[in-house]
């Protein structure tokens, strides 16, 4: 199955001139969803993953399905103020000098656990890198970083140098 | 396995006097996540589900894992402005006279499809009811509504009268 055929292109979203790849048309297709999750599972299955970390919000979709398939746990990384327990906050730079903040529960990951960071999209890689750095600061190991789609023109893979990076679909 | 043992109670969140049931401590536990998803799968597996609809954000976690397990597709229902394609907007009443809005892609569900609405929590039931009404307005059938947790004191099941309602964990 060519998964690209299932991804809709939306022109001028979220800004004029951009071609947004809308993964929701893939997710709603049972065979395509299964194929995508299975490809991500194949990339991770021999890496002894204890926990999948998924950034809000589409990282929840693929992260949870991949965690279930792996027999791993799932840990959400969220925007500030949305997790109910004690959290670590992590502020990081995104494009154009702006910053963003992620939170994770302090007890979400144990020292020494092997973690896969899973998200829908690798573009600049800033959110994934922040998620990796959170995991490392908690004393756990980033065993892999795994995406549904990769936009190679943004060179996110370079920002993630030193990590094992996998993407199921490349543009 | 007693799944309640895996759910953390956080007092006075999000408001003083409330006891918040934090499902993230269950999700991060591999055996508990598997058991929970399998229980939801068992409740849905004979209902010929084509598509699982999950409301943002924790509905993405369980909805996607259950959809994968069922061999169904997954469709996100989101807060306004976050879906890239053409959407239907649906405004609905929540507690204390306030309203909230959900959006779904216009082409996300086909007429006649059998849909399961999946979310983490049944409390008042207003978000789940809104999701069901969106599905019906699109000409599809709500075959079941399935939750990880149900807070019976809020009587959400009454609001969802006429729908098949299942919850894996009751409080």
């Amino acid at each position: 199955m060519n998964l690209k055929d299932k991804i809709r292109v939306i022109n001028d979203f979220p800004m004029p001139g951009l071609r947004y790849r809308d993964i929701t048309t893939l997710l709603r297709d049972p065979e395509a969803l299964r194929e995508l999750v299975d490809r991500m599972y194949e990339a991770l299955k021999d890496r002894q993953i204890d926990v999948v970390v998924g950034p809000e919000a589409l990282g929840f979709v693929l992260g949870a399905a991949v965690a279930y398939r792996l027999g791993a746990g799932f840990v959400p990384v969220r925007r500030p103020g949305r997790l109910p327990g004690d959290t670590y906050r992590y502020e990081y730079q995104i494009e154009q000098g702006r910053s963003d903040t992620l939170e994770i529960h302090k007890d979400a990951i144990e020292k020494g656990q092997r973690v896969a960071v899973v998200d829908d999209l690798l573009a600049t890689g800033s959110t994934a890198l922040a998620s990796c750095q959170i995991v490392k600061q908690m004393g756990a190991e980033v065993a892999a970083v795994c995406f549904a789609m990769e936009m190679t023109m943004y060179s996110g893979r370079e920002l993630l140098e030193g990590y094992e990076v996998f993407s199921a679909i490349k543009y």
Side-chain angles (χ1 to χ4, degrees), chain A:
Chain A
M1 179 185 296
N2 187 348
L3 291 178
K4 282 187 182 175
D5 294 343
K6 301 293 183 179
I7 294 172
R8 165 168 56 186
V9 176
I10 298 182
N11 289 314
D12 302 318
F13 184 89
M15 282 175 279
L18 294 184
R19 285 166 59 79
Y20 184 86
R21 311 287 172 161
D22 176 16
I23 200 171
T24 67
T25 45
L26 184 161
L27 300 176
R28 75 162 191 251
D29 181 301
E31 288 76 27
L33 175 63
R34 170 147 293 182
E35 169 82 16
L36 174 61
V37 173
D38 287 349
R39 282 195 202 178
M40 297 171 83
Y41 163 76
E42 286 294 326
L44 297 173
K45 70 179 166 51
D46 296 325
R47 296 181 184 274
Q48 293 84 46
I49 305 298
D50 299 305
V51 173
V52 170
V53 164
E56 186 164 4
L58 286 178
F60 289 8
V61 174
L62 293 162
V66 170
Y68 175 82
R69 180 70 182 86
L70 283 168
F74 175 75
V75 169
V77 170
R78 301 205 67 170
R79 300 288 164 212
R82 296 184 183 171
L83 287 170
D86 291 339
T87 61
Y88 292 119
R89 299 184 81 146
Y90 190 86
E91 190 175 342
Y92 62 102
Q93 300 303 310
I94 53 173
E95 60 269 31
Q96 291 144 1
R98 291 177 297 130
S99 72
D100 215 336
T101 303
L102 291 176
E103 283 191 359
I104 192 168
H105 275 138
K106 283 183 178 175
D107 60 358
I109 301 174
E110 293 165 30
K111 281 192 185 10
Q113 282 192 315
R114 291 177 60 83
V115 175
V117 173
V118 171
D119 207 353
D120 62 326
L121 178 66
L122 173 57
T124 67
S126 57
T127 301
L129 181 64
S131 302
C132 291
Q133 289 171 337
I134 289 170
V135 169
K136 284 172 71 174
Q137 284 184 11
M138 294 172 81
E141 187 179 345
V142 179
V145 194
C146 186
F147 303 93
M149 300 184 288
E150 177 177 357
M151 304 294 156
T152 56
M153 66 178 284
Y154 292 106
S155 305
R157 206 173 266 264
E158 291 172 25
L159 195 68
L160 295 173
E161 197 182 342
Y163 295 102
E164 289 285 338
V165 177
F166 171 82
S167 58
I169 305 160
K170 288 188 177 63
Y171 287 100

